[in-house]
Amino acid sequence: MEQHGFLEQALIYLAAGAIAVPIFQRLGLGSVLGYLIAGVAIGPWGMRLIDNPQTVLHFAEFGVVLLLFLVGLELNPRRLWTLRRLIFGLGGGQVILTIAAVAGIGLALGQSMTIALVAGMGFAMSSTAIGLASLAERNLLNTPGGQKSFAVLLFQDLAVIPLMIVLGLMAAGKGGVTSFDWTSGGIAVGMIGLLVLAGHYALRPVLRFIANTKLREIFIGFSLLLVLGIAALMEAVGLSMALGAFLAGVLLADSEYRHELELDIEPFKGLLLGLFFIAVGMSIDLGLFVRTPLVVLGLALGIVALKAAILYPLARPFGCPPADALLVAVALSQVGEFAFVLFGAASQLLPRPTVDLLNAAVAVSMLTTPLLLMLHPRVARFLVRSAPRADDAIDEANPVIVAGFGRFGQILTRILRGLGIEATVIDHDPNEIELVRRFGWKAYYGDATRPDLLEAAGAAHARLLIVAIDRPEAAMTLVKRVRERYPKLKVVARAHSRTDAFEYAELGVPAVREVFGSALDAAAQAMQMLGYRAYTARRVVQHFRRHDEELLASTASHRHDINRLIALSEQGRDDLEQLLREESGRRSDAGAAGWS
C-alpha cells in the first residue's frame, strides 16, 4: 500500500488507539493489549494501513524513555540505595539464571552455543514499558511485588551494557579481530559520572532560571529537552536511553520542581508509550504464524513459562509471600524491547531466519502479560489459601472480634482498648501482621471468612464483630455467613460504597461508610472558611447526616428499580436543599457561644 504522509499516519495511529483501547479496557483486558492489537490490525499483516513500522518504532521508543524518567522521579538516591539488595540480588539472579536455562535448553535441542547464548541474553530481558505500565494501570506498582518487579527491571537496564560488550566480543571480524572498542566503555562510565555531577550542581539552577520566566510552555519545552537530551547523550556513548532518563529522574527526585516535571511529562509519556505498543504490534510477523505457527507459539509460551518458573521461587527468599512472588513472575514473564536491540546487535552471529523467529517470539510474549495479569488475582487468592503458612492458632476469647487490621481497623481497636475492651484481631495479610506485632499489637494471621476460624475466635460467644476488611466482596461474604451461623452476634460493617450500604441495610447490619465521616468533617471546615460560624456549620452537617441516613434507609428496598431510585433521590435532593437553606439561615447565639 502506498505510504501515507505524516498527517494521514497520525490520524491512523490516533484512530487505532482511540477505537481499540476503550474496547479492551471495557473488556477488562487493559490498555497495553489494546494498543498491541491495534498495531497488529493496522500493520503490514493486518489492514496494511502502515507498511513500515520501524519508522515509528524508533520515535515511539521515547515513550519508554519518558516512562523511566517519571519512575526515577519517584526514587531519590537514598531510597534507591535501600533497593540495592533487590536490584543486584533478585535482578542479577534472574538474568543469570535465565541466560543459563535458555542456553542449556538450546544446546539440548541441538542449537549451536552462539545461538543458544544470544537467545538466552535476549530472553533474559523483560519489557520495562509493558511491566511498569501494566502494574501502574492496576495500582500494583507500589505494592511489595511491584517494587521487586521494578528492581529486576532496573538491573536488566544496567545489564544491557555488559551484554552488549559480550556480543561485541563474540562478533569477530575478519582475521579474528573483535569489533568492540574498549575506549567507548570508559567513555560510557565517564558519561554516567558526568551526568551525576551535572545533575547535582547544575540542573536545579537551570530549572530555577527557566521557571522564573513564568512561561509554562517554556518550562514544558525545557522539560522535554532535558529528558530527550540526556537520552541522546547516553545513546551516543553506547548506553541505554532509558537508563540515562532514569538517572536524570533520580537526580531530580528531591527537587522542588519534581511535581511540575511530572505534570508536564505525563501527557507526552502516555501518547508516546501508546505509540510504542502500537509499533510493537505492527512489527509482529504474522507470516511466521502461517509458515511455522507451532514453533513461534511454542517458543513464546515456553519462554514465558520458563521465566515465570525462575522468577517465582527466586522472589520468595527476598521477602515475597506467594501472591507477591506470583505478581513478580507474571509481570516480568514476557521478553522486553531490549531483546530487539540485542538480537539486532547479534545480526552478524545469527542467520536472518533465526533472528526473525526470535523477534516474533518476543512480540508474542508481550501479548501474554496483560492476559496473565487478568488471571493473577484468582491464582493469588488460591496461593494464599493453599500457602504453607497455616492460620495462627487463636488462644483467646474476647467480647469483640475485629476482622481486618488496616487503617480503619486499627483506629477502632485503639479506641476499644483505650476503654479497656479487649478485641481479637484477625487479618489475612502476613506482612501487615508482622508489622503490627513489631509495634506491640497482638494480631492473628488468617482468613476471617472461614467458618472454622470464626469458631476458633469465639464468634459463638462474642458480643460484637467489626468487619474492617479491605476487600468488599470478602466483607460481604463474612457478614452473610455470620448472619446465617451466629444470628445473635451483633455486626458493624465498613461499607466501601453506597451500593454496599444498601446491601448491608437489607441484611439488617449497621454500616459505616468509610469516607462519609471524614467528608462531613471536611464540609464543616469548608463552611467555616467561607464565613459560617462553627455552630452553624456543625448543625448543617448534623442535619445532612440525619437526612442522608434516612434517605439511605428509605431507598434501600428500591435499589434494583433504577427509575424509582432516581425519583426518590431527586425528591431527597430537593428536600435537602430546602432543609439546609433554612438551617443555615437560622441564628441561635445562645447555642453558638460554646462553639465559636
Side-chain angles (χ1 to χ4, degrees), residues 69-129:
F69 177 73
L70 292 178
V71 170
L73 282 178
E74 298 293 329
L75 293 173
N76 55 45
R78 185 177 304 172
R79 185 183 173 198
L80 191 61
W81 177 250
T82 63
L83 292 174
R84 66 189 184 280
R85 178 173 171 267
L86 290 175
I87 293 172
F88 294 99
L90 181 56
Q94 180 270 325
V95 170
I96 293 171
L97 288 176
T98 304
I99 292 175
V102 172
I105 293 173
L107 291 174
L109 294 175
Q111 300 296 322
S112 68
M113 173 61 77
T114 300
I115 292 178
L117 192 57
V118 171
M121 292 179 185
F123 288 161
M125 300 292 104
S126 300
S127 174
T128 301

Side-chain angles (χ1 to χ4, degrees), residues 9 43 86 92 125 154 179 252 258 339 346 361 418 430 432 450 457 475 480 493:
Q9 287 191 51
L86 290 175
M125 300 292 104
L154 181 55
S179 60
L252 291 171
R258 169 192 160 191
E432 186 71 24
R450 288 177 50 183
K480 290 179 179 179

Side-chain angles (χ1 to χ4, degrees), residues 129-417:
I130 290 178
L132 292 186
S134 298
L135 290 171
E137 184 180 14
R138 291 165 172 80
N139 295 319
L140 295 172
L141 190 55
N142 291 323
T143 63
Q147 289 298 293
K148 290 174 175 61
S149 300
F150 167 74
V152 175
L153 289 169
L154 181 55
F155 181 84
Q156 290 178 0
D157 285 342
L158 295 170
V160 170
I161 302 157
L163 290 179
M164 292 290 287
I165 293 175
V166 172
L167 286 177
L169 294 173
M170 292 172 63
K174 292 181 180 180
V177 180
T178 60
S179 60
F180 178 72
D181 183 5
W182 287 96
T183 304
S184 51
I187 295 175
V189 174
M191 181 59 72
I192 292 179
L194 183 63
L195 176 61
V196 172
L197 290 174
H200 187 72
Y201 294 105
L203 272 182
R204 294 189 184 186
V206 173
L207 281 169
R208 190 177 302 114
F209 174 77
I210 296 295
N212 286 334
T213 64
K214 308 295 184 183
L215 297 173
R216 181 169 176 78
E217 66 273 15
I218 297 300
F219 192 88
I220 294 175
F222 181 77
S223 301
L224 292 171
L225 175 65
L226 172 67
V227 181
L228 301 184
I230 292 174
L233 284 175
M234 292 296 105
E235 187 180 41
V237 297
L239 295 176
S240 160
M241 291 191 298
L243 177 61
F246 173 77
L247 290 176
V250 170
L251 294 172
L252 291 171
D254 289 328
S255 167
E256 62 270 30
Y257 303 104
R258 169 192 160 191
H259 296 295
E260 190 71 20
L261 288 166
E262 284 180 335
L263 291 173
D264 291 342
I265 296 295
E266 181 67 34
F268 298 98
K269 183 269 294 182
L271 283 173
L272 288 174
L273 203 57
L275 188 60
F276 172 80
F277 293 134
I278 290 176
V280 170
M282 290 191 297
S283 67
I284 298 176
D285 185 359
L286 296 185
L288 283 172
F289 289 91
V290 177
R291 299 190 296 271
T292 55
L294 296 180
V295 175
V296 176
L297 290 175
L299 183 59
L301 297 179
I303 191 60
V304 167
L306 176 65
K307 292 184 72 173
I310 290 173
L311 281 161
Y312 180 81
L314 189 61
R316 298 287 280 121
F318 287 87
C320 273
D324 288 320
L326 179 66
L327 179 61
V328 175
V330 169
L332 306 182
S333 60
Q334 81 292 122
V335 186
E337 50 275 357
F338 283 125
F340 295 126
V341 177
L342 291 171
F343 292 150
S347 57
Q348 301 178 36
L349 300 169
L350 305 180
R352 186 64 198 177
T354 302
V355 174
D356 291 339
L357 177 62
L358 294 177
N359 284 335
V362 170
V364 173
S365 74
M366 291 180 172
L367 295 173
T368 64
T369 303
L371 297 174
L372 291 176
L373 281 171
M374 284 182 59
L375 299 175
H376 169 261
R378 297 180 182 178
V379 181
R381 284 194 291 270
F382 171 78
L383 287 175
V384 169
R385 288 196 297 268
S386 60
R389 173 171 179 172
D391 292 343
D392 292 339
I394 300 177
D395 56 3
E396 62 183 16
N398 292 309
V400 178
I401 301 172
V402 178
F405 204 53
R407 293 170 297 174
F408 189 87
Q410 288 174 24
I411 293 173
L412 284 170
T413 306
R414 288 171 60 191
I415 294 173
L416 290 173
R417 291 188 176 172

